Amino acid sequence: MALEDLFKVVKDRSMADTKPKADPKQKKASPKVEIPKGLLFKCPRCGTVVYRDDFERNRSVCSACNYHARINFRERLEMTADKGTFTELDAGLTSVNPIDFPGYENKIAALQKECGLREAVVTGVCTIHRYKTVIGIMDSNFMMASMGSVVGEKITRAFEYATEHKLPVVLFTASGGARMQEGIISLMQMAKTSGAIARHSESGQLYVTVMTDPTTGGVTASFASLGDIIIAEPKVLIGFAGRRVIEGTIKQKLPDDFQSAEFMLENGFVDMIVERKVMRPTLSKIFRTHNYTRSEEYKGGAAL
Amino acid sequence: MSSLTATQRLSIIREKGRPTVKDYIPALFNNFLELHGDRHFGDDAAIIGGVGMFDCTPVTVIAQVKGRNLEENKRSNFSMPHPEGYRKALRLAKQAEKFHRPVICFVDTPGAFCGIDAEKRGQGEAIARNLMEFMTLKTPILTIVLGEGGSGGALALAVCDELVMLENALYSVISPRGFASILWKDPTRESEAAELMKITAEDLLRFGVCEHIIEEPDGGAHRDPALMIENIAEYLTESLPRLCSVSTDEMLERRYEKFRRIGEFRDNS
Ligand SMILES: [Zn+2]
């Protein structure tokens, strides 16, 4: 189906949806309004447009080019952890405004409401194929998952917890980089997290990075690049410098695959590219080959 | 000490005659031998490294090279290192650890270079590796910010036991211009950004990022380079024996804690 046809379908459907709502009585009875703009997903990599339902059933992966799209914390947790095994760590940490950046508190408050998250990363303990692990998931819906004090502190504490309890760490990274609204404090989080990783590493524990879309800037230049094993999802953006910054310097357009997962693999900066549908078994194999043993606690618990 | 604004300091550190490591290294260290290359890819002229003597103490020096003129700047890529520069720094730091020499880093960079080759060779990984390795390096590390301390490109030489700043030096997460263009979509608001960002030596002292400020001659280091060199030498004379007298375990614990403490947040749990 051509793109224009698809949009026509959406338009027709949305018209159909609004028809009964023209009746004011019915409108009162059913306050739920269908939002047609969420009906389709247009792949930012190849431009293919698909029904959002189909796209989501496919784990938010583009069926045309295999781009692994951004997903939120809950979706990631659901497709990664054994059901009902997740316990959050440091859930109470929230941002303040260290350099008095105008409007920062309001922005944070609005995002907390919108995303149902306190900050851009959630950390905790769970099992994956019954292997107990510390897990961290960054959610790019929250201020592009930029790293300020809270993100830095939660990741640092997650590594310290894992060191103390002799656990591996799996981090799903996604970030626009350092959170500029927190000034130099955000830069220092790169050093702080790297320090905690150094100690976790020295204690002999395993750290697996899963780079998801987009992993950039100060996060690439700190904890994302420090995994013992670095996995990337297909077609995601991974890099240090912003694309437009580089294009501005060299005065020409960069090829599409520049700073992709595949580019990073080719240049030797990720160990493997792994599709979502086999992420759990892959992590499980990695735990197994690092002599972690399966926990008996989990017997397939209730939903989250 | 002066109470200049961030904008005024910005113009001082951009003064043509402001001394650079090309002035400081020969004046501060005897027997300096430059050591080249990262042993993997090449030699990055944006970072000079080598060994020398400070009084009677052998030291390793790692320094970002701002040029004093266009010719020098072209050679040192305007002090914007590539990954091989950071990897050379790490190699020399590891060498210093082996021979129990303190490491003295001079930071003076707008940031790590942003380009195709830098990405291909892993700019992010190179910086990340330095942060982790410097955190556990078993020899004292002292970092002096001379002028511009730009972002991760500066931090890669600034995981240290003591960070000192020349009085007018600035150290920031991104250049004020970059800050204005990203957050306000307006690079002309550079000066406003510089004031807001809290990037002066005094600001950083308050945040616990910086431990000490080295006074500059009136009007800036370019007004009296000899005095500036003297002030740095005086600081090194005091700090090196002090840092070297701490046991390795104690030193590493303090270094970890120095960064561990930085961060402002509320804990509602
Ligand atoms: Zn696609």
Side-chain angles (χ1 to χ4, degrees), chain B residues 58-201:
Chain B
V59 295
T60 287
V61 178
I62 301 171
Q64 289 168 330
V65 188
K66 273 262 166 83
R68 291 168 295 193
N69 50 51
L70 188 63
E71 214 34 60
E72 280 188 9
N73 262 324
K74 276 186 181 162
R75 219 173 309 138
S76 69
N77 197 31
F78 294 83
S79 199
M80 294 183 283
H82 279 74
E84 54 271 24
Y86 294 113
R87 293 185 182 123
K88 169 165 71 176
L90 180 57
R91 178 177 79 84
L92 296 180
K94 288 283 189 189
Q95 188 188 66
E97 179 182 54
K98 173 176 173 183
F99 295 105
H100 309 289
R101 287 192 290 265
V103 178
I104 302 171
C105 296
F106 291 94
V107 166
D108 199 358
T109 180
F113 188 65
C114 298
I116 296 178
D117 291 339
E119 295 292 316
K120 278 191 178 166
R121 299 202 284 273
Q123 190 69 285
E125 193 274 345
I127 294 171
R129 185 74 45 202
N130 280 16
L131 304 186
M132 185 162 92
E133 296 289 343
F134 276 58
M135 194 64 87
T136 52
L137 197 78
K138 294 185 183 68
T139 198
I141 311 165
L142 202 158
T143 296
I144 303 175
V145 186
L146 296 175
E148 226 181 327
S151 196
L155 182 64
L157 299 186
V159 171
C160 56
D161 300 296
E162 198 157 298
L163 185 111
V164 289
M165 293 178 70
L166 302 199
E167 188 182 337
N168 293 310
L170 305 170
Y171 185 14
S172 57
V173 64
I174 184 174
S175 70
R177 200 181 162 78
F179 187 92
S181 76
I182 291 178
L183 291 178
W184 301 324
K185 315 271 177 258
D186 183 1
T188 64
R189 290 166 73 182
E190 180 186 41
S191 165
E192 190 185 338
E195 302 308 329
L196 176 70
M197 288 169 75
K198 304 196 172 51
I199 56 178
T200 66

Side-chain angles (χ1 to χ4, degrees), chain A residues 92-94 96 99 149 153 156 160 180 184 186-189 191-192 195 199 221-222 240-241 259 267 269, chain B residues 119-124 128 135 155 171 173 179 182 198 204 253 256 259-260 262 264-268:
Chain A
L93 299 198
T94 51
V96 294
I99 67 164
S149 296
E153 182 70 20
T156 301
E160 288 174 341
M180 284 171 279
I184 193 78
S186 67
L187 188 72
M188 294 301 123
Q189 305 309 308
K192 183 162 104 179
R199 290 193 165 186
S222 61
F240 172 67
Q259 294 183 324
N267 285 293
F269 294 99
Chain B
E119 295 292 316
K120 278 191 178 166
R121 299 202 284 273
Q123 190 69 285
M135 194 64 87
L155 182 64
Y171 185 14
V173 64
F179 187 92
I182 291 178
K198 304 196 172 51
L204 299 183
E253 189 58 33
Y256 185 81
F259 291 94
R260 183 68 189 84
I262 303 174
E264 296 186 16
F265 51 83
R266 230 188 332 265
D267 194 346
N268 302 319

Side-chain angles (χ1 to χ4, degrees), chain A residues 43 45-48 62 64-67:
Chain A
C43 176
R45 290 289 179 279
C46 71
T48 303
C62 172
C65 76
N66 205 26
Y67 163 61

